[in-house]
Amino acid sequence: MTRDVDAAVAVLRAGGLVGLPTETVYGLAAHARNPKAVRRVFTVKGRPPTHPLIVHLPDVSHVARWAATVPDTLGPLAAALWPGPLTVVVRAGPDVMAEITGGRDTVALRVPAHPLALEVLGRLDDGVAAPSANRFGGVSPTTAAHVVADLGDDVDLVLDGGPCAVGVESTIVDLGGARPEVLRTGAVSASQLSSLLGAEVVTWSGDGDARAPGMLASHYAPHAAVLVIDEIGAAGVVTRRIPEVGAVAVLASTTGQLDAVRAALAGFDDRLVDLEPVGDADGFAHELYDRLRQVDRLGCAAVIVVAPPPEGIGVAVRDRLTRAAAGE
Ligand code: TXA
Ligand code: MG
């Protein structure tokens, strides 16, 4: 782990892989014009080659180097939200490698809001392809230590930019079709996009894998079983899904919720492990992946999660929890 931006740029230029901090999660970065380096990203992650990568850019002026045409909808979104947790899918230009697009005719682009990432990208003056820096299907990393724990020597350098400010992956909006469509929820909401564009932006509700390959039903999953409940009154309904042996962690926004879960699961009291409450939806997003990792470090058989309300970034937190729970 280092804070040495020069060293990170040198590794990328030489075709190596860098653990790159962004405001959402840490990325496993490769120079986006180097096919060998990009192929190594897939090997290290254990990711199927058909799952496309996001190209990270130093600023909006770089979009024209990657897109076949720059859609009119990009202007207002980039002006308001870049650098920031928004990824746009646009028609790919002829030079974009198939390794990045997974053979599709579109490419995903974003300008991340992290000072170290922007410094690296600015010095490189080019794009960096980066999926989340975890093994395929696992929990995304939100600290440099998470990246080291997941990837060890498979990553050449990890740039330590501190804990990620947002904590869940970027919102992905497809601007390549007849009307903009959200393919993955994140800190930027569909209604925010709608008001910036002055037109309704819908959220793709069908098979995520068809539109954004890699958005599998089972994803972001710790080893422990994830049992999601919406309201405390429902805590009792998970009792039959609690494994017969082992500790059961409880993740919630407030200590009041933790107490209520304990009351609803009286028979399991001696097996419950309270995790530090995460606070509001922003806190939930910020702490989620670290808490899920903690559950595995503690060797818990399961974690019961009281989901935040589906408002703001709470929508994205609930999406990730659903996918983590599908990993059972
Ligand atoms: O916040 C983020 O987006 C983080 C940080 C590192 O920037 N990156 C990230 O990458 O979450 P990854 O690879 O874990 O997820 C990328 C998602 C996948 O679901 C992929 O299918 C989608 O982006 N994607 C990439 N290119 C696409 C394309 N051309 N069309 C549709 N979806 C695409
Ligand atoms: Mg990922």
Side-chain angles (χ1 to χ4, degrees):
M1 284 194 277
T2 175
R3 296 188 60 82
D4 187 346
V5 168
D6 288 331
V9 173
V11 167
L12 290 168
R13 283 209 176 107
L17 303 187
V18 169
L20 187 72
T22 83
E23 80 281 32
T24 58
V25 301
Y26 274 70
L28 177 61
H31 196 299
R33 308 261 184 211
N34 183 329
K36 227 173 128 189
V38 172
R39 280 198 292 270
R40 206 177 129 214
V41 168
F42 285 87
T43 311
V44 166
K45 270 203 73 127
R47 175 171 171 131
T50 50
H51 291 183
L53 302 180
I54 296 170
V55 178
H56 298 70
L57 305 175
D59 61 63
V60 65
S61 75
H62 277 251
V63 169
R65 304 190 197 177
W66 298 87
T69 51
V70 181
D72 295 341
T73 41
L74 179 70
L77 300 185
L81 299 169
W82 275 358
L86 178 74
T87 296
V88 299
V89 173
V90 296
R91 302 260 149 232
D95 301 338
V96 186
M97 301 184 308
E99 282 85 349
I100 286 176
T101 64
R104 319 190 128 216
D105 60 357
T106 54
V107 64
L109 305 170
R110 100 174 180 97
V111 178
H114 191 291
L116 294 189
L118 288 173
E119 223 180 308
V120 167
L121 292 166
R123 297 247 199 116
L124 206 60
D125 193 30
D126 210 339
V128 146
S132 52
N134 53 284
R135 306 277 183 202
F136 183 61
V139 178
S140 298
T142 51
T143 68
H146 291 166
V147 180
V148 173
D150 279 2
L151 302 181
D153 290 340
D154 286 345
V155 55
D156 300 307
L157 179 147
V158 179
L159 194 57
D160 187 357
C164 299
V166 175
V168 294
E169 299 78 0
S170 60
T171 299
I172 302 178
V173 64
D174 186 351
L175 301 180
R179 50 176 199 165
E181 228 175 333
V182 171
L183 304 182
R184 179 175 74 184
T185 58
V188 174
S189 67
S191 65
Q192 232 177 317
L193 297 173
S194 301
S195 55
L196 285 167
L197 294 175
E200 201 205 344
V201 175
V202 295
T203 302
W204 169 253
S205 58
D207 175 8
D209 207 40
R211 291 292 295 275
M215 284 212 51
L216 305 175
S218 166
H219 209 154
Y220 315 104
H223 295 292
V226 178
L227 311 176
V228 184
I229 55 177
D230 230 331
E231 16 168 341
I232 308 304
V237 307
V238 299
T239 40
R240 66 189 159 75
R241 294 169 57 211
I242 294 177
E244 272 167 34
V245 290
V248 178
V250 185
L251 178 59
S253 295
T254 65
T255 49
Q257 289 179 337
L258 290 175
D259 293 343
V261 169
R262 272 191 183 276
L265 295 176
F268 294 87
D269 209 41
D270 56 340
R271 291 174 56 199
L272 299 183
V273 179
D274 292 350
L275 301 179
E276 179 78 19
V278 290
D280 62 8
D282 287 334
F284 222 124
H286 190 261
E287 302 299 332
L288 176 66
Y289 292 141
D290 190 63
R291 293 290 191 283
L292 293 181
R293 286 162 180 272
Q294 189 189 354
V295 167
D296 281 345
R297 279 201 309 277
L298 294 170
C300 295
V303 54
I304 296 171
V305 187
V306 184
E311 290 146 25
I313 202 168
V315 176
V317 170
R318 293 166 68 97
D319 167 74
R320 305 308 189 271
L321 285 172
T322 306
R323 294 174 199 277
E328 281 174 64

